[in-house]
Amino acid sequence: MTMLPEADALLVVRTGFSDPDAWQAVRAALGVTGEESFVEEFQDEVAVVDDATHADLTPDQLLGLLPSGYTDPILVVVDSAALESAEMPVLVVDLVEERGRAFRVIPAELPDIHSNLSIANMDFFEFADNADADGVFRGFR
């Protein structure tokens, strides 16, 4: 396994390699077209890490691979569970408040989470605690 790259962008790390078509569908749902993209919904850069050495790594293992200068409040993980579900719920890992705490989110809600956490408008727990019973955040109801 290799260290995650230095990036002044939201890192989206692929750990699920079971279905290449599903991976492309998740990328499209997130609005990510290249390895480094400006995604309008995020109003920021997104850096995709698509490296098979990260296959099946846990969030805790990925935290150990973050570069010391990474300043984004979250890490996004596209694991097998995200690839196997029609909703494509990616895993969002907190890097600030409760480092390592995670919940799943449907791609359409990720930009709002990222922007609110980036400007400290909301806290991680406000999203995590409002995930549905299955652990997936689908927006505030």
Side-chain angles (χ1 to χ4, degrees):
M1 81 186 101
T2 59
M3 290 294 293
L4 296 172
E6 297 271 344
D8 189 21
L10 172 63
L11 285 176
V12 175
V13 183
R14 179 183 184 188
T15 64
F17 288 83
S18 60
D19 188 339
D21 292 334
W23 165 239
Q24 292 306 320
V26 170
R27 288 175 62 111
L30 292 173
V32 178
T33 55
E35 294 308 306
E36 291 189 23
S37 299
F38 180 83
V39 179
E40 190 171 316
E41 291 82 2
F42 285 93
Q43 299 296 311
D44 209 345
E45 295 285 325
V46 174
V48 175
V49 180
D50 185 0
D51 181 343
T53 64
H54 299 120
D56 301 320
L57 292 184
T58 66
D60 284 340
Q61 290 171 313
L62 291 172
L63 290 178
L65 299 177
L66 280 171
S68 61
Y70 185 65
T71 60
D72 206 277
I74 58 174
L75 175 69
V76 176
V77 181
V78 181
D79 58 4
S80 294
L83 298 178
E84 293 167 3
S85 170
E87 286 186 298
M88 300 177 277
V90 298
L91 195 62
V92 176
V93 182
D94 183 22
L95 302 178
V96 178
E97 298 166 27
E98 297 177 64
R99 189 173 177 88
R101 183 176 182 191
F103 66 93
R104 293 193 176 279
V105 62
I106 59 172
E109 293 295 327
L110 185 58
D112 286 340
I113 291 171
H114 184 251
S115 62
N116 277 294
L117 294 177
S118 294
I119 62 170
N121 185 51
M122 295 179 76
D123 294 315
F124 189 88
F125 77 86
E126 293 178 85
F127 296 102
D129 291 353
N130 281 287
D132 292 337
D134 63 357
V136 178
F137 181 81
R138 296 177 177 87
F140 292 105
R141 304 196 192 283

